[in-house]
Amino acid sequence: MGAAEEATVRKEDIRTAIQDVRPGLQKCYAPLAEHGAGDQRVVVRFTLVGQGTQGSFQDADIIESTLNDPLFLSCLLTELSQARFRAPWGTGAVTITYPFVFQSLARDGG
């Protein structure tokens, strides 16, 4: 009797899913950028559970953020929940920790 294969996910699959929702993530950040928030970093941890060929986004938490804006953080998590992830391979769930960097819309060209 073989051991169950631990669930895994390819980094490229995660990046692709997040790239697809990037416009929504930028919309979340745009009001803050317009008010001079500058460059910001947010780290999100979430779980992917396989449901057929799709990965179900669950248990998301902000584990680090240079911004303490509840509306922005809520918007960020809502947009991420819309991402279409591939199901992890193997059995069980995969915990992902993903950093996001948001940059100001306006740059001083000098």
Side-chain angles (χ1 to χ4, degrees):
M1 186 155 90
E5 184 180 337
E6 186 174 323
T8 60
V9 64
R10 292 183 343 175
K11 289 181 181 180
E12 297 85 33
D13 292 342
I14 299 299
R15 276 191 226 114
T16 298
I18 290 174
Q19 279 298 113
D20 289 346
V21 296
R22 189 162 299 282
L25 301 176
Q26 290 297 85
K27 282 183 185 179
C28 293
Y29 184 65
L32 297 170
E34 289 172 5
H35 289 97
D39 296 351
Q40 303 292 328
R41 183 171 192 267
V42 179
V43 180
V44 178
R45 181 171 36 220
F46 59 93
T47 301
L48 283 181
V49 177
Q51 292 184 335
T53 60
Q54 296 293 312
S56 174
F57 178 88
Q58 298 177 3
D59 303 324
D61 287 312
I62 305 295
I63 61 170
E64 179 185 324
S65 179
T66 56
L67 273 171
N68 188 22
D69 184 296
L71 290 176
F72 164 71
L73 297 174
S74 175
C75 182
L76 175 75
L77 293 178
T78 298
E79 290 298 323
L80 282 174
S81 73
Q82 302 304 308
R84 297 182 55 87
F85 295 96
R86 280 188 164 173
W89 290 302
T91 305
V94 177
T95 300
I96 309 292
T97 301
Y98 200 94
F100 294 87
V101 175
F102 295 89
Q103 298 177 327
S104 298
L105 298 176
R107 296 277 186 193
D108 184 4

